[in-house]
Amino acid sequence: MAAVNSENLLNRSARGLVSWLGEFVHVCAIYLGIAVLVTAVLGMTVPSLRLQVAQVYDAVVLALRPDGFKQDLLSIYGAAYGDGLFYTDEKGARSDAADVSAVDALKPAATSILSFSAALRASIAGQHVTGMTSTQFQALRSYIARKYRIAQSVAGAIVNTAFIVGQEKNLDPQLILAVIAIESRYNPYAESHVGAQGLMQVMTSVHRDKFESFDEGLIAALTPIANIRVGVQILHDCIKRRGSLEGGLACYVGATGPSDGGYGAKVLAERRRIALASGIPVGR
């Protein structure tokens, strides 16, 4: 009888232990599921996490892509750099044409080109052109990437391009960035119902001659650097022709009457938001 009671007690203890372990595993699974869910939600809703993941992804893809393929896919040709334009890294150290590790397409000769792949590598490395501090560059890049849902590396490359071309044409780079925002929301492949293409929505049928210097011809309108160069040239000519920034914007959008439909106000408002986000004063 005592042996039977001892066996029953042992069985009950074993069942109790198994039940406790089952409950423990069940609770752990619940908490693990909650942790995974919270992490996923934070990753989707917190901009900084999304941007960091996107930047790491861009860097890995760019690093693994063969050099020849990088150039075939991403190289976009532009005009020569002006003297004195150079990249600086996050610590403010100068990196000019000789520093090919970051900007291997930069050369001082008149035949130099700017490839978008080099601009991407500079952006990933945190390098920026003159005219802004590292803090301002990071703030501006993050603002554009977050608002217009593009990779930080791409945003930085476009920012650097806008500052280079803006300095060449004596135009406020943040005005250029604002025009891009209103025209295409930073979509380089955007096309309107009337045929305006690219970041700055250039009418290739009207400005065919401006693409003659590009090897790709009119299809260069769909490449960021070429599109920005041509778009800025058009905007510069419009401002010069109309004699004012507001008139130039009306000309750029194709307004022939006294009203531009609010286009100029939208661009200038976005320029103010960009300047506020970057901490860079509004230029001309």
Side-chain angles (χ1 to χ4, degrees), residues 30-184:
I30 291 175
Y31 278 106
L32 180 61
I34 292 173
V36 171
L37 180 62
V38 170
T39 302
V41 171
L42 287 175
M44 294 297 293
T45 57
V46 178
S48 60
L49 291 180
R50 292 204 313 273
L51 295 174
Q52 289 175 11
V53 171
Q55 191 170 7
V56 170
Y57 173 80
D58 291 334
V60 171
V61 170
L62 194 61
L64 295 178
R65 190 177 285 141
D67 287 340
F69 184 67
K70 290 180 193 176
Q71 293 300 322
D72 291 341
L73 181 65
L74 296 174
S75 291
I76 296 165
Y77 300 102
Y81 282 102
D83 293 336
L85 293 176
F86 54 86
Y87 286 92
T88 56
D89 60 23
E90 292 179 342
K91 297 180 180 179
R94 176 169 175 158
S95 170
D96 28 35
D99 187 6
V100 295
S101 62
V103 282
D104 54 6
L106 289 179
K107 297 178 182 179
T111 57
S112 66
I113 62 171
L114 168 62
S115 74
F116 199 58
S117 58
L120 282 171
R121 284 193 291 272
S123 176
I124 290 170
Q127 296 177 319
H128 59 87
V129 295
T130 54
M132 55 183 157
T133 66
S134 294
T135 300
Q136 290 169 336
F137 172 70
Q138 297 291 349
L140 183 50
R141 182 175 67 170
S142 296
Y143 170 81
I144 292 173
R146 182 174 63 253
K147 182 171 182 178
Y148 297 103
R149 298 176 181 272
I150 63 175
Q152 278 212 44
S153 56
V154 174
I158 294 175
V159 166
N160 279 332
T161 302
F163 270 76
I164 289 172
V165 180
Q167 290 180 42
E168 290 174 354
K169 293 298 181 181
N170 202 28
L171 275 182
D172 179 12
Q174 295 185 113
L175 175 67
I176 299 170
L177 295 173
V179 170
I180 293 172
I182 301 304
E183 289 287 351
S184 67

Side-chain angles (χ1 to χ4, degrees), residues 146-270:
R146 182 174 63 253
K147 182 171 182 178
Y148 297 103
R149 298 176 181 272
I150 63 175
Q152 278 212 44
S153 56
V154 174
I158 294 175
V159 166
N160 279 332
T161 302
F163 270 76
I164 289 172
V165 180
Q167 290 180 42
E168 290 174 354
K169 293 298 181 181
N170 202 28
L171 275 182
D172 179 12
Q174 295 185 113
L175 175 67
I176 299 170
L177 295 173
V179 170
I180 293 172
I182 301 304
E183 289 287 351
S184 67
R185 296 188 64 83
Y186 286 84
N187 177 5
Y189 307 118
E191 181 169 309
S192 73
H193 67 283
V194 295
Q197 294 181 318
L199 289 173
M200 296 189 71
Q201 291 291 276
V202 175
M203 291 288 293
T204 53
S205 59
V206 177
H207 302 284
R208 180 180 297 269
D209 60 310
K210 294 181 174 63
F211 290 95
E212 292 177 354
S213 60
F214 297 99
D215 292 343
E216 301 93 333
L218 291 180
I219 64 172
L222 296 177
T223 60
I225 292 176
N227 188 279
I228 291 174
R229 284 198 174 279
V230 173
V232 169
Q233 180 63 58
I234 296 168
L235 179 59
H236 176 269
D237 293 344
C238 280
I239 294 173
K240 185 177 180 180
R241 185 180 308 121
R242 294 286 181 92
S244 69
L245 177 56
E246 292 75 10
L249 289 172
C251 169
Y252 189 84
V253 78
T256 56
S259 174
D260 64 359
Y263 174 81
K266 291 178 183 177
V267 170
L268 295 179
E270 179 60 18

